[in-house]
Amino acid sequence: MQVTSKRLERNSFVSFLQLSTFFLDLFFIQAINNLENMIFGMGFEATFFPEVLSCFVLALYTSYQVHPMSCSCA
């Protein structure tokens, strides 16, 4: 993994994929919150658990499927 890490850090497409995790997270949170507002009414608010945390995990998993180094700590 360390052999290719320097080459992947310089690749702008990889940086774009890593940044897309943030936008995926926002998209998932907005989609789930809109669905809850349709079902439970306009006064319903998203809470940290389960909506926000599950959307964050889903965005990390999705970006990991696209590019595994975007979720690694190495």
Side-chain angles (χ1 to χ4, degrees):
M1 204 57 135
Q2 293 295 328
V3 174
T4 60
S5 65
K6 294 297 180 191
R7 185 183 59 167
L8 291 173
E9 287 174 358
R10 285 183 259 140
N11 192 346
S12 62
F13 183 69
V14 172
S15 299
F16 171 74
L17 290 177
Q18 292 172 347
L19 182 64
S20 67
T21 304
F22 172 72
F23 293 113
L24 279 172
D25 190 35
L26 288 179
F27 172 74
F28 289 142
I29 289 173
Q30 187 66 40
I32 289 176
N33 197 21
N34 286 344
L35 180 66
E36 289 173 342
N37 280 332
M38 285 178 19
I39 294 171
F40 300 121
M42 289 303 293
F44 194 82
E45 295 180 0
T47 56
F48 180 72
F49 184 81
E51 290 95 3
V52 175
L53 189 61
S54 63
C55 289
F56 181 68
V57 170
L58 182 62
L60 282 176
Y61 178 74
T62 304
S63 67
Y64 179 75
Q65 292 299 318
V66 172
H67 184 68
M69 280 213 34
S70 65
C71 295
S72 67
C73 296

